[in-house]
Amino acid sequence: MTAPAVSVVICVYTEDRWEDILAAVASVRAQSRPALETLLVVDHNPALLDRLAAEYKEADGAVRVLANAGPRGLSAGRNTGVAASKGEVIAFLDDDAVAERDWLRHFAEGYADPRVLAVGGRTEPVWASGRRPAWFPEEFDWVVGCTYRGLPPGRVRVRNVLGGNASFRRTAFELAGGFATGIGRDGDRRPLGCEETELCIRISRARPGAVLLIDDRAVIHHRVPEARERFAYFRTRTYAEGLSKALVARSVGAAKGLESERRYTTRVLPAGIARGLRDAVLARPGGAGRAGAIVAGVLGAAGGYVVGSVRVRRGGPRFAVPPVEVGG
């Protein structure tokens, strides 16, 4: 079976990440299995749009620069990229990440099975300070957009992929529509998320036999700025995750929306607390801090979920699932 052509979408929004954007694009262009194209979708920033268009004007179509055609935010940017793309598979890479050389090759291999509609990969943190903060638990690496302790290793079937390092077969968007607007990130505002979780659940509902995979050989390295190494960001992000989960639960039901989270909170996190306390007893650096951060993270997410659920019941924030006019 011929491997599918892959379009890569990178959503960008600020010139502050200029060097990161160039590095992300360079990592795609250096793939062992070349991408069909790279699409840079600029989120309502005309200056950045013009600067990137000038940077890649000699790319002969290999890199295309587009303006977000929808409302401000990551979800609409991704939908713009899907609509403009030509590949059978659309991969997404964060604008502050670089992909290892075989990233797209491992993605493409996953689609040999026609039942597979999504393949995600492993995201490794690159800490601005040079090392992981001693108090920061690996179980919460999702706070900084990275693969966290508790996900199974290898190539495995999952409920959802993680959006900054993910790919979808084009037919997934034809079946289920695009990323929901009003739920994911919007530049530097409150760090909401879960748009990829909600999409993946919709895909599985639209085609019950669909297979969604994570292949931990498809690796990217994601930069974590110093501001996100601080406990204040950790606390804000976990609370925002709870708010986002409340929206997802309203859309797909709590049973499905919190299916993976139940195992995470009842098995993975208690084990993490135990490791932290053990390390504290053994006088290892950061043990007590990691145990405390896990507890704080759980409480923050739970608080956000309660507040979000109340807001939803009162007719508060909602999100829309737009149909996506897929390209190709």
Side-chain angles (χ1 to χ4, degrees):
M1 184 177 182
T2 304
V6 182
S7 298
V8 177
V9 174
I10 303 173
C11 295
V12 303
Y13 71 99
T14 176
E15 290 184 86
D16 293 343
R17 292 186 176 181
W18 179 257
E19 295 300 329
D20 292 331
I21 295 168
L22 299 186
V25 173
S27 75
V28 175
R29 301 185 79 179
Q31 290 293 299
S32 61
R33 186 190 185 286
L36 176 65
E37 58 187 347
T38 300
L39 291 85
L40 288 170
V41 182
V42 183
D43 192 15
H44 298 271
N45 186 332
L48 178 58
L49 181 72
D50 291 344
R51 188 177 179 188
L52 285 170
E55 179 72 23
Y56 292 108
K57 66 180 179 180
E58 306 295 336
D60 297 325
V63 180
R64 291 195 281 150
V65 181
L66 311 168
N68 180 2
R72 186 181 300 275
L74 181 58
S75 291
R78 286 172 172 168
N79 291 338
T80 297
V82 172
S85 65
K86 300 174 183 177
E88 181 185 343
V89 168
I90 301 99
F92 298 92
L93 178 66
D94 275 347
D95 64 345
D96 52 357
V98 293
E100 291 193 359
R101 180 171 169 77
D102 292 328
W103 178 61
L104 288 182
R105 180 172 69 83
H106 293 305
F107 273 176
E109 289 172 355
Y111 292 100
D113 182 343
R115 298 175 302 160
V116 173
L117 293 187
V119 182
R122 186 171 87 248
T123 302
E124 297 287 349
V126 179
W127 304 96
S129 62
R131 63 172 59 185
R132 172 187 297 275
W135 63 269
F136 203 113
E138 292 182 27
E139 291 81 1
F140 276 81
D141 276 5
W142 56 263
V143 165
V144 292
C146 295
T147 301
Y148 56 91
R149 183 193 289 267
L151 286 177
R155 183 194 284 177
V156 294
R157 192 168 181 171
V158 292
R159 180 195 65 180
N160 64 274
V161 297
L162 304 180
N165 180 11
S167 64
F168 295 85
R169 201 185 291 272
R170 178 173 300 282
T171 51
F173 298 104
E174 296 170 350
L175 285 165
F179 290 93
T181 58
I183 186 172
R185 282 184 179 264
D186 179 358
D188 290 320
R189 297 183 182 181
R190 175 171 281 169
L192 299 172
C194 293
E195 68 276 10
E196 67 276 359
T197 299
E198 194 274 339
L199 172 62
C200 287
I201 294 172
R202 267 192 285 121
I203 291 170
S204 295
R205 285 188 166 180
R207 179 167 291 176
V211 174
L212 286 69
L213 301 173
I214 284 183
D215 187 337
D216 67 4
R217 299 171 301 169
V219 180
I220 69 170
H221 299 270
H222 185 272
R223 189 174 67 83
V224 181
E226 288 188 12
R228 297 187 182 183
E229 295 184 10
R230 299 170 187 157
F231 183 73
Y233 179 82
F234 180 92
R235 183 179 56 209
T236 300
R237 179 67 184 89
T238 55
Y239 177 77
E241 184 75 0
L243 294 175
S244 300
K245 291 294 185 196
L247 285 172
V248 172
R250 178 180 177 85
S251 172
V252 302
K256 195 67 178 177
L258 300 176
E259 180 181 49
S260 297
E261 288 74 13
R262 289 191 179 91
R263 175 187 175 276
Y264 174 73
T265 55
T266 59
R267 296 177 59 183
V268 175
L269 295 185
I273 293 171
R275 275 193 299 274
L277 294 176
R278 179 200 62 197
D279 288 347
V281 170
L282 296 174
R284 293 173 179 167
R290 288 191 297 276
I294 291 174
V295 173
V298 171
L299 293 176
Y305 184 82
V306 170
V307 171
S309 298
V310 170
R311 289 178 180 175
V312 166
R313 285 197 297 270
R314 292 178 176 176
R318 296 172 182 266
F319 60 90
V321 178
V324 173
E325 183 180 340
V326 294

